[in-house]
């Protein structure tokens, strides 16, 4: 189990007005976890970063896609018709389609505010 001291550089993809992001940020602060904060809309993950993140998921890009978001509902396409490359490009260009927050140290991944996963990983 990783602790806050032996975790690699942690990247925290966040959006300030996102409730889940604020909860995760507060939890990280309360538990003394250091991280590099990346604003999802000002500095979105690149296609290559998203590919690396997707490799850490248990269910692929579906785990990263915010299917309940208004932005997703406004898409006039069936994402199942897209190639992986096209979907990665779409997510990089429009990070509103990503679930948030995203926490990763390059080896481990937590998508969304998941306090039990955060406890397991950092404490």
């Amino acid at each position: 189990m990783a602790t806050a001291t032996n975790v690699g550089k942690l990247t925290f993809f966040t959006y300030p007005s996102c409730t889940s992001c604020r909860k995760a940020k507060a939890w990280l602060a309360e538990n003394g976890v250091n991280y590099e904060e990346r604003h999802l809309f000002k500095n979105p993950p690149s296609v290559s970063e998203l590919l690396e993140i997707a490799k850490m998921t248990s269910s692929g890009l579906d785990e990263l896609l915010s299917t309940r978001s208004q932005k997703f509902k406004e898409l006039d396409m069936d994402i199942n018709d897209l190639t992986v490359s096209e979907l990665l490009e779409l997510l990089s260009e429009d990070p509103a389609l990503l679930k948030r927050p995203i926490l990763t140290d390059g080896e481990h991944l937590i998508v969304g505010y998941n306090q039990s996963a955060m406890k397991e990983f950092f404490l």
Side-chain angles (χ1 to χ4, degrees):
M1 183 176 311
T3 64
T5 55
N6 69 8
V7 171
K9 182 178 132 192
L10 182 68
T11 303
F12 177 42
F13 291 96
T14 183
Y15 181 60
S17 67
C18 164
T19 303
S20 296
C21 296
R22 288 195 306 265
K23 287 179 184 177
K25 189 173 185 174
W27 189 95
L28 292 168
E30 286 169 21
N31 290 281
V33 178
N34 295 320
Y35 57 88
E36 175 188 309
E37 187 169 343
R38 292 246 324 252
H39 191 293
L40 261 175
F41 295 91
K42 292 180 181 174
N43 189 7
S46 67
V47 170
S48 60
E49 286 175 313
L50 285 169
L51 181 58
E52 291 306 309
I53 290 168
K55 288 177 185 177
M56 292 180 264
T57 65
S58 55
S59 59
L61 290 172
D62 289 344
E63 197 170 320
L64 300 175
L65 196 56
S66 180
T67 56
R68 295 185 307 178
S69 71
Q70 187 62 38
K71 194 70 173 177
F72 181 82
K73 292 173 183 169
E74 292 170 359
L75 284 179
D76 190 24
M77 66 176 75
D78 183 350
I79 61 150
N80 294 316
D81 293 338
L82 299 177
T83 65
V84 171
S85 296
E86 290 169 334
L87 185 53
L88 288 169
E89 189 71 37
L90 178 67
L91 292 173
S92 180
E93 290 173 3
D94 196 346
L97 295 169
L98 289 167
K99 286 183 185 173
R100 50 191 182 260
I102 299 172
L103 288 154
T104 182
D105 67 352
E107 292 182 28
H108 305 91
L109 178 71
I110 299 172
V111 179
Y113 176 62
N114 184 334
Q115 191 173 9
S116 61
M118 291 168 71
K119 280 182 186 174
E120 182 180 318
F121 185 58
F122 299 115
L123 301 179

